[in-house]
Amino acid sequence: MKKNRWIQVLATKNEIGTLLPLVIMCIVVTLVNPNFISFSNLMDIFRTTSFYLIVGAALTFLLVASDLDLSIGAVTALGGVACMFAMKAGVPAALCIVIGLLAGAAVGIFKAWIIVDCELPALIVTLGIQYAVNGIVSITTKGMSVSGATEGFKVLGQGRIFGSVYITIVIALVIAVVFQLILSYTKYGRSLFAVGGNPETARLAGIPVKKRRREVHILVSVFAALAGILMASRFASAQTTAGSGTELTVMAAVIIGGTSMFGGSGSVVGSILGCLLLAVISNGLVLIRVDSFWQNLIFGVILLISVAIDKYRQKLSSAA
Amino acid sequence: MAEYLLEMKNVTKKFPGVLALNKVMLQLKKGEILGVCGENGAGKSTLMKILSGTYPFGTYEGEILYEGKTIQLTDVAVAQKYGIEMIYQEINMVLHSSIAENLYLGNLPGRGQRVDFKSLYAGTKSILERVGIDAKPTDKVAKLNSGQMQMLALMRTYIKNPRILVLDEPTSALTNSEVDQLMGILKELRDKGISCIYISHKMEEIYRICDRVLVLRDGQTIGCHETDQVKEETLIEEMVGRKIENLYPKTKVAIGEEVLRVEHLSVPHPTMKGKNIVDDVTFHLNRGEILGIGGLVGAGRSEILGALFGQLFKGVTKEVYIEGQRTTIKNPADAIKAGLGFVTEERKLNGFIWMLSIRDNMYLASLKELPVKGPFVDVKEENSRSQVMFDRLRIKAPSIHTIVNTLSGGNQQKVVLSKWLVKSPKILFVDEPTKGVDVGAKAEIYSLMGELVESGISIVMVSSDLPELLAISDRVLVVSNGKITGEFDRDEMSEEAVMRAAIK
Amino acid sequence: MKLKKLIGLLLVSALVLTGCGSSAEEPQATTEPAETQENTEEETEAPEPAQEENAEAAETSGESQDIMFVSIVTGGVAWGSAQKGFEDALAEIGWTGQYVSPTTPNDTAGVITLLDTAVTNKADGIITVILDTDQATDVLTKAREAEIPVVTCNTYTTEELQDCWIGTDPVNMGVTQAETVLSYLKEEKYSSFDHVTACYIQTTLETETQNLQYKAFCETIQKEYPDATLIQEECNSDAAVASDKLAALLKSYPDLNVVVSQDGYGCPGIANYVESENLSDKLIVVGIDDSEEILNYVTSGALDCTIAQDFYKMAYESVHYIKDIKEGNKPAFANDSGTIVIKEGDVEEHLKILEERGLL
């Protein structure tokens, strides 16, 4: 009787849809290949997670406010490229980072105006922006990567704290923690839930709905650019294909982590778990020597199971 | 020949943690209209979902007998085969499809896959004439208003030749003449030998149309009476479980000077160009007063409130004076800053946020005033203040963290009210304060309003419920076609006077 | 409000339209062409770009021919060079042409659509890249009927459907990759290696030519190391993915000692990982393509060498092939543009060649 209740309580925890497959996956892989939990492998996994999470945290805010963005991959490439062009031209590294972020902000501002003020659907608009930004990146780079990273700059993406933990992991964690605190414990965070839950109700309650939506759109683009800048630091050059596909994978990670696509609910903690799950799956499948032809299929299946568990959890908690 | 056409015996339905129905008994005779009443949460909808096959056989205990024989309703299609048809409270129309297609939804005339458009449109035309709806069969349903759509839903089941028609709060969106039509159709069905189950809050309707009435409370059958033999107080007592001394508690409060003055308020009509839905309206509100606004649906009452609050803005002209000061209101944020609050008519649409908790909904309009500890919200303090409000309003829910979606209509309305009480406005606009709220909660809401005016808040209340309007208001304005056609003090008010002004 | 919406709508439509259209660039037919060069079918050295003043018009018609190059991507190390080769050849001969590609790289259907346009607009000659023969059968037949010469780069269909092709023969590429690895295994530096556990990281597992390469690679390796462990992986043209894959592979196969990169975008990711983890002594790493970045990695030692295809030559020669076809000299069907293995000592010289071609 007690055991049943225990399972019931656990099953209704919001993050169970991600936590369960994550834990199971880790156990299974470790049994087959203990190297999985070796320190260096865990560092690799966390590092991969960190790049997803930097965008994922901001994307969580956007989804809570009931919006979406398909242009984050393109903006990631743009941020890295803009930063490296400046660095190649001799601009000091700190300023280059700012330039990269500004490039992201510029796209974000434009995007916010079209979606929020001109009231056009985010799906099509961000798709168009994705094409356009990719085009800008292609034209300016002629398809070639942009190198010229200074030693100081490289430290961000390649360096480790105490010689062991990658700096990007720390950056991503700090970002995620701050975002989660804002979301659950500040008035700003509360207003986002209202905006996403029912914008008309929020408006009638005096919450500046349009302002909030603009802000989260710009936020996502800036952090996508940040991810691109850190990626450029990691490889000492800005790749034109950086971040491609992340608009879908990171969004999937955030949604699997429990944030609703329809707005009004979500958590950054869930997104951390979602991004971690993505990294664990791609790392784990290689570690247990799954034939690469099968990896995509299994990846998809695990994601579906995650969604199913989350649906089941929703059913349980609403019937209670 | 069985005595009853339909019998539901000892029906018990459990959800995790909740006993929704507990050995409920219902009997329905052939050719009778049985009323079913009870508060929200009494189990009426659950019982009907079992009858309609939405909750299939096997998910509940008890049996259902049809003409004396036990039947198993394994799904909705099976129930429909027995002639059991439902009409729900929410409009069930495919808005972008034509009237004809909606009327014959799932029931299109024609052989095989081919649709017989001729008979489709002919049949639709005659029905439209019958219920007096001025539209073509090919018009999109979205053109109609909610009352007409509800009539259409009724006719949709009518043409299916049902044997048992179940109606759940059918008149909430209907005008008086439409209600008359509905009653007429139901009587016609009854004379033909078709039985109806009529779920309603409205006592007048139960008494008007039902032969017998069944009372449910907390998932149990409390009593079943012949309508011509039972007193209204008895029914209410059975529904609520206690004696309600006063259905319309009215607090006596000293009324002060003018606190709001509105001059030359005009709001353009949303669809008809060149017309105003609110036309040069001028009125005032005194401190501590409850000003009722009556009139027919569509007269422009809600628009008056909406325009003043900044919800409607385009093309609106107005002069607003709050406590003597000229105030500009361009949007809801301005209105709130000026000390206004607005409980809207459709809370599901824009009154609360369904996926958030009671506590989160309470602070929606007061985010700036949330208690803080440094840069963060002081959640402990917020919780305790919300709890105070929760207790004061006597909200029936497990805790302040309950998601609002799961609450009954009355409790939801209390949550919406609390949103504005937390804000402590000077002036509160309320549009249909007890819409979709059951009897027990209604009285509580009236008391609450009384407490508010006692504390110095002034209220403007729009209401379509005449008894409510007359019992609670200190003064009544009547609006017709966008203009004020009548103003009555408490001693001048009467239902006839209001109605007369409303149809001017 | 309505005006805002309209402006926004127009802007977005413009964005989407440019996105949906193809990315095309019009090369200038400049005035420095020189004599055409004689082509041979076997591996030749890199051709020199033209220097002389006079335009030598085509012998056949005396009028300028308009050639359409329908590629799979614009820009990048590989196809950027191809475009340059194409434009240089056109300038040399005095012809005009257009280099186009679909917006989404490797979009085979997009290529077919552009080919349809080329045929309808009666291009004088078509150079293209066909990743899927079945998809292209229809349009190539139409080109045949319209008597438009068709030459493909780095891919091929059948002799009925096209005139000839030039590119890196996938089997040769795989064999070259394997032989390079085998030669390193014999070197002093790697004398301690007594086995072969190799991973081959390509673009996607669906790319047919890359799979052919891999097959040839495996067969060649297995001739000398029949017990070799050979792992095939994909990186989807993403440096980060390639880097992470390599990291995971090393945990999965602790005795991994050979890495072959078969994707120009993934290669820097692999090289970067080798460098940051100081693995150059523990791994034989063979790169691909010859961008400046990759060549730098060869110099620094992260890559033992890189194997470049000669995209410049492919495109350059294709134009000349079309000229030959129009003059009645039909070239051989299959032409190998060859591979260039660039080791540390070869980097400087190769950079000079790239500079001369104007690719740096």
Side-chain angles (χ1 to χ4, degrees):
Chain A
M1 192 55 198
K2 221 173 159 185
K3 191 169 174 206
N4 239 1
R5 237 182 68 92
W6 190 80
I7 292 179
Q8 266 217 343
V9 166
L10 201 65
T12 53
K13 275 275 167 259
N14 274 345
E15 283 82 27
I16 195 76
T18 356
L19 205 50
L20 201 58
L22 190 61
V23 168
I24 293 177
M25 184 93 201
C26 288
I27 295 177
V28 167
V29 175
T30 310
L31 286 176
V32 175
N33 187 344
N35 267 335
F36 183 76
I37 49 172
S38 69
F39 185 77
S40 61
N41 193 53
L42 288 177
M43 278 303 118
D44 287 338
I45 294 177
F46 292 153
R47 178 195 227 186
T48 313
T49 310
S50 66
F51 283 97
Y52 292 145
L53 190 55
I54 291 171
V55 186
L59 198 60
T60 310
F61 271 32
L62 187 66
L63 257 62
V64 164
S66 193
D67 227 326
L68 45 86
D69 189 350
L70 292 180
S71 67
I72 47 184
V75 176
T76 301
L78 183 69
V81 164
C83 173
M84 291 312 287
F85 268 137
M87 202 168 296
K88 212 167 167 168
V91 177
L95 202 54
C96 294
I97 296 176
V98 172
I99 291 176
L101 293 175
L102 284 177
V107 175
I109 293 173
F110 178 69
K111 176 176 48 124
W113 176 67
I114 294 212
I115 295 177
V116 178
D117 292 288
C118 301
E119 292 179 359
L120 292 172
L123 192 70
I124 291 292
V125 170
T126 55
L127 200 61
I129 291 180
Q130 184 197 50
Y131 277 129
V133 172
N134 271 329
I136 294 175
V137 170
S138 292
I139 294 173
T140 51
T141 62
K142 298 208 198 354
M144 317 281 242
S145 57
V146 185
S147 27
T150 61
E151 285 311 310
F153 180 66
K154 281 197 233 178
V155 171
L156 272 183
Q158 301 180 9
R160 308 189 199 219
I161 297 195
F162 314 124
S164 45
V165 178
Y166 288 110
I167 294 182
T168 48
I169 298 178
V170 177
I171 294 178
L173 263 181
V174 168
I175 292 176
V177 167
V178 168
F179 272 55
Q180 179 64 64
L181 286 176
I182 294 177
L183 202 59
S184 2
Y185 295 111
T186 63
K187 305 175 187 177
Y188 189 85
R190 292 288 172 81
S191 68
L192 285 184
F193 283 111
V195 167
N198 189 328
E200 188 54 22
T201 306
R203 185 179 83 101
L204 288 177
I207 294 174
V209 172
K210 281 196 168 169
K211 193 156 168 273
R212 290 284 173 273
R213 291 184 64 207
R214 275 187 223 112
E215 286 161 1
V216 287
H217 266 296
I218 298 175
L219 200 70
V220 167
S221 294
V222 169
F223 278 86
L226 180 63
I229 293 169
L230 290 174
M231 193 93 74
S233 167
R234 175 181 173 184
F235 295 115
S237 73
Q239 307 290 322
T240 56
T241 54
S244 67
T246 53
E247 55 274 351
L248 292 181
T249 46
V250 176
M251 182 146 74
V254 170
I255 292 174
I256 287 171
T259 301
S260 167
M261 256 204 309
F262 304 106
S265 72
S267 82
V268 181
V269 170
S271 302
I272 296 177
L273 291 177
C275 293
L276 195 54
L277 182 62
L278 277 189
V280 163
I281 296 176
S282 49
N283 176 284
L285 288 181
V286 175
L287 249 69
I288 58 177
R289 302 195 181 179
V290 169
D291 190 15
S292 30
F293 284 90
W294 283 85
Q295 283 175 30
N296 280 333
L297 176 64
I298 296 181
F299 192 96
V301 168
I302 296 180
L303 292 185
L304 285 175
I305 293 178
S306 218
V307 172
I309 295 180
D310 194 56
K311 202 67 222 266
Y312 184 64
R313 172 203 55 89
Q314 277 182 33
K315 254 182 108 174
L316 276 188
S317 48
S318 63
Chain B
M1 206 43 209
E3 189 194 346
Y4 294 116
L5 174 60
L6 178 78
E7 259 195 282
M8 297 176 84
K9 273 179 159 174
N10 288 318
V11 174
T12 303
K13 171 88 182 140
K14 292 197 191 87
F15 291 110
V18 173
L19 184 60
L21 296 174
N22 192 357
K23 298 209 177 54
V24 168
M25 310 283 289
L26 179 147
Q27 296 99 13
L28 181 67
K29 293 190 197 149
K30 193 159 182 263
E32 90 165 323
I33 299 180
L34 174 71
V36 174
C37 56
E39 289 197 311
N40 278 330
K44 310 187 293 288
S45 309
T46 314
L47 191 63
M48 293 309 118
K49 281 188 181 151
I50 289 177
L51 184 58
S52 69
T54 308
Y55 290 151
F57 175 79
T59 59
Y60 54 87
E61 293 153 38
E63 41 172 11
I64 301 181
L65 293 110
Y66 186 85
E67 289 182 337
K69 292 202 277 284
T70 312
I71 58 171
Q72 293 183 359
L73 299 172
T74 45
D75 63 39
V76 177
V78 173
Q80 285 181 340
K81 266 208 250 127
Y82 281 103
I84 300 173
E85 294 286 345
M86 303 286 296
I87 300 201
Y88 292 103
Q89 197 175 13
E90 277 90 33
I91 312 286
N92 258 332
M93 293 283 148
V94 184
L95 293 173
H96 293 297
S97 292
S98 68
I99 294 178
E101 282 164 349
N102 270 284
L103 198 53
Y104 285 86
L105 198 62
N107 189 18
L108 292 167
R111 290 238 304 249
Q113 285 297 316
R114 266 183 359 122
V115 175
D116 182 358
F117 281 105
K118 220 166 127 203
S119 36
L120 176 69
Y121 290 136
T124 307
K125 194 153 172 287
S126 67
I127 288 181
L128 288 175
E129 280 168 10
R130 165 93 193 265
V131 293
I133 293 181
D134 180 22
K136 298 198 286 287
T138 47
D139 287 342
K140 296 266 174 287
V141 161
K143 247 189 84 178
L144 307 175
N145 65 42
S146 39
Q148 292 169 319
M149 285 194 212
Q150 190 68 307
M151 291 305 289
L152 213 58
L154 175 64
M155 298 317 288
R156 181 201 277 164
T157 47
Y158 176 80
I159 44 185
K160 283 195 200 169
N161 281 320
R163 302 209 59 192
I164 298 172
L165 193 57
V166 181
L167 301 103
D168 191 350
E169 303 285 354
T171 59
S172 46
L174 300 182
T175 62
N176 279 337
S177 64
E178 284 164 344
V179 171
D180 291 337
Q181 272 182 349
L182 172 74
M183 300 286 179
I185 292 172
L186 290 182
K187 286 206 188 99
E188 208 187 286
L189 293 174
R190 178 183 58 191
D191 296 338
K192 277 216 226 151
I194 297 168
S195 310
C196 292
I197 296 179
Y198 191 95
I199 302 173
S200 178
H201 279 134
K202 302 188 185 170
M203 293 289 119
E204 328 86 71
E205 289 174 10
I206 302 262
Y207 276 104
R208 185 168 160 194
I209 190 84
C210 302
D211 303 306
R212 291 188 307 141
V213 59
L214 177 73
V215 180
L216 294 178
R217 187 181 78 230
D218 293 331
Q220 291 181 306
T221 309
I222 302 298
C224 190
H225 315 272
E226 303 283 329
T227 39
D228 52 6
Q229 288 171 15
V230 69
K231 284 207 280 211
E232 192 175 324
E233 295 99 69
T234 319
L235 286 181
I236 292 177
E237 203 181 312
E238 285 186 350
M239 277 179 15
V240 176
R242 61 186 195 280
K243 261 193 176 315
I244 296 207
E245 296 297 339
N246 191 356
L247 275 177
Y248 297 104
K250 172 73 183 156
T251 326
K252 262 210 127 3
V253 164
I255 296 183
E257 349 70 56
E258 184 185 280
V259 71
L260 169 71
R261 175 161 205 91
V262 177
E263 288 185 359
H264 307 299
L265 171 67
S266 292
V267 180
H269 198 282
T271 50
M272 295 198 250
K273 285 206 165 46
K275 254 200 92 179
N276 280 340
I277 193 166
V278 175
D279 206 10
D280 199 22
V281 159
T282 296
F283 68 93
H284 72 279
L285 174 72
N286 297 321
R287 185 183 310 275
E289 186 177 35
I290 296 184
L291 176 66
I293 300 187
L296 302 174
V297 168
R301 303 167 298 158
S302 303
E303 285 76 8
I304 292 177
L305 300 184
L308 288 174
F309 194 74
Q311 178 192 31
L312 304 170
F313 182 65
K314 208 148 157 251
V316 169
T317 52
K318 60 182 188 280
E319 282 170 39
V320 179
Y321 300 88
I322 297 185
E323 287 175 335
Q325 299 268 51
R326 178 78 193 266
T327 316
T328 324
I329 295 174
K330 293 197 284 240
N331 53 51
D334 289 342
I336 293 173
K337 224 186 287 178
L340 298 177
F342 187 11
V343 177
T344 54
E345 185 184 352
E346 303 276 357
R347 54 181 174 268
K348 270 207 183 83
L349 199 60
N350 54 21
F352 58 76
I353 300 186
W354 67 263
M355 73 242 337
L356 297 183
S357 66
I358 294 177
R359 180 202 74 178
D360 287 336
N361 269 284
M362 279 184 181
Y363 271 92
L364 272 184
S366 325
L367 286 181
K368 292 208 188 81
E369 288 94 18
L370 275 171
V372 282
K373 237 196 320 216
F376 299 122
V377 169
D378 186 349
V379 180
K380 233 170 121 190
E381 180 63 26
E382 183 193 5
N383 283 343
S384 69
R385 289 194 203 174
S386 304
Q387 189 66 45
V388 166
M389 186 62 71
F390 183 91
D391 296 331
R392 174 178 167 196
L393 295 180
R394 283 186 297 273
I395 298 176
K396 282 207 205 69
S399 83
I400 56 173
H401 299 293
T402 312
I403 306 296
V404 179
N405 198 29
T406 59
L407 301 178
S408 68
N411 286 309
Q412 285 175 344
Q413 192 71 319
K414 287 184 188 174
V415 172
V416 175
L417 264 168
S418 71
K419 176 173 67 178
W420 298 110
L421 297 190
V422 167
K423 189 75 192 173
S424 222
K426 294 191 196 122
I427 298 159
L428 188 63
F429 295 156
V430 186
D431 197 343
E432 304 289 0
T434 59
K435 181 170 174 179
V437 174
D438 52 54
V439 169
K442 266 193 200 180
E444 287 183 328
I445 289 179
Y446 299 139
S447 308
L448 264 168
M449 287 170 68
E451 279 175 41
L452 290 180
V453 290
E454 254 181 342
S455 67
I457 300 177
S458 318
I459 298 180
V460 178
M461 174 182 81
V462 166
S463 174
S464 305
D465 184 343
L466 275 181
E468 168 182 275
L469 192 66
L470 297 174
I472 303 298
S473 315
D474 294 304
R475 199 164 42 105
V476 167
L477 294 176
V478 182
V479 177
S480 173
N481 282 323
K483 292 196 196 306
I484 296 189
T485 50
E487 181 171 343
F488 306 99
D489 276 334
R490 209 163 161 78
D491 31 355
E492 300 166 330
M493 290 186 231
S494 74
E495 291 203 18
E496 300 81 39
V498 171
M499 274 320 282
R500 230 178 296 129
I503 55 180
K504 254 201 238 176
Chain C
M1 203 52 208
K2 274 218 165 111
L3 184 61
K4 257 195 205 164
K5 200 159 183 170
L6 189 62
I7 295 177
L9 200 59
L10 285 173
L11 272 172
V12 175
S13 319
L15 285 177
V16 177
L17 280 174
T18 49
C20 290
S22 56
S23 50
E25 279 188 32
E26 192 90 38
Q28 257 91 39
T30 53
T31 52
E32 304 133 24
E35 334 170 316
T36 50
Q37 289 195 323
E38 285 300 301
N39 306 311
T40 47
E41 284 71 44
E42 257 50 67
E43 297 182 341
T44 54
E45 292 154 19
E48 273 127 60
Q51 308 273 324
E52 269 87 64
E53 296 300 280
N54 293 330
E56 185 172 310
E59 284 158 28
T60 39
S61 49
E63 51 187 72
S64 169
Q65 302 288 294
D66 193 52
I67 314 295
M68 184 92 136
F69 192 138
V70 180
S71 177
I72 46 174
V73 76
T74 303
V77 169
W79 295 101
S81 313
Q83 185 173 355
K84 192 85 190 7
F86 173 65
E87 291 166 3
D88 284 349
L90 286 175
E92 231 179 76
I93 305 178
W95 284 358
T96 57
Q98 224 192 352
Y99 181 99
V100 300
S101 75
T103 347
T104 324
N106 301 317
D107 176 8
T108 49
V111 169
I112 305 296
T113 313
L114 290 166
L115 284 173
D116 278 325
T117 317
V119 172
T120 318
N121 289 324
K122 296 202 183 25
D124 293 313
I126 293 178
I127 305 172
T128 182
V129 183
I130 304 285
L131 293 173
D132 185 337
T133 309
D134 294 323
Q135 253 191 346
T137 310
D138 191 32
V139 67
L140 289 179
T141 313
K142 281 209 276 249
R144 264 269 175 274
E145 287 165 5
E147 291 183 1
I148 303 174
V150 174
V151 176
T152 54
C153 284
N154 227 18
T155 51
Y156 52 88
T157 58
T158 65
E159 294 207 43
E160 287 96 45
L161 292 174
Q162 65 180 93
D163 292 286
C164 66
W165 71 279
I166 174 168
T168 323
D169 181 82
V171 171
N172 279 351
M173 179 68 162
V175 168
T176 310
Q177 286 167 325
E179 285 178 349
T180 312
V181 169
L182 290 170
S183 73
Y184 273 112
L185 283 167
K186 296 193 179 69
E187 278 188 22
E188 167 89 51
K189 188 176 176 199
Y190 298 112
S191 52
S192 58
F193 288 8
D194 56 356
H195 66 279
V196 168
T197 305
C199 68
Y200 192 94
I201 304 183
Q202 59 190 63
T203 315
T204 66
L205 297 168
E206 288 85 46
T207 316
E208 221 186 297
T209 40
Q210 295 188 343
N211 287 338
L212 280 170
Q213 286 168 221
Y214 179 65
K215 190 154 167 284
F217 174 81
C218 292
E219 282 167 359
T220 314
I221 295 276
Q222 278 161 339
K223 279 200 207 116
E224 281 196 36
Y225 289 85
D227 304 320
T229 313
L230 302 158
I231 311 138
Q232 194 183 15
E233 275 285 350
E234 62 179 8
C235 68
N236 286 315
S237 295
D238 190 299
V241 173
S243 176
D244 291 338
K245 273 275 154 74
L246 181 56
L249 282 166
L250 284 164
K251 305 286 184 319
S252 184
Y253 298 87
D255 62 350
L256 188 75
N257 56 5
V258 174
V259 182
V260 177
S261 173
Q262 181 46 51
D263 179 77
Y265 294 102
C267 190
I270 292 171
N272 173 274
Y273 187 78
V274 169
E275 197 171 71
S276 59
E277 301 291 316
N278 287 319
L279 293 169
S280 44
D281 289 336
K282 303 206 184 67
L283 298 171
I284 296 174
V285 190
V286 176
I288 190 169
D289 287 346
D290 53 356
S291 71
E292 202 182 341
E293 189 185 12
I294 292 174
L295 289 172
N296 285 339
Y297 278 121
V298 175
T299 311
S300 74
L303 294 174
D304 286 282
C305 68
T306 181
I307 302 182
Q309 309 179 64
D310 201 340
F311 285 89
Y312 181 93
K313 179 170 171 183
M314 282 180 225
Y316 181 89
E317 295 298 340
S318 296
V319 177
H320 286 282
Y321 285 153
I322 293 189
K323 182 160 182 292
D324 289 342
I325 295 167
K326 286 194 180 280
E327 288 168 358
N329 305 330
K330 201 162 157 83
F333 182 68
N335 300 282
D336 191 355
S337 55
T339 55
I340 315 166
V341 177
I342 307 171
K343 302 191 182 176
E344 194 180 335
D346 307 315
V347 172
E348 232 189 284
E349 199 188 308
H350 193 84
L351 281 170
K352 279 209 203 87
I353 295 176
L354 292 179
E355 220 170 330
E356 281 169 17
R357 287 182 178 172
L359 294 170
L360 276 182

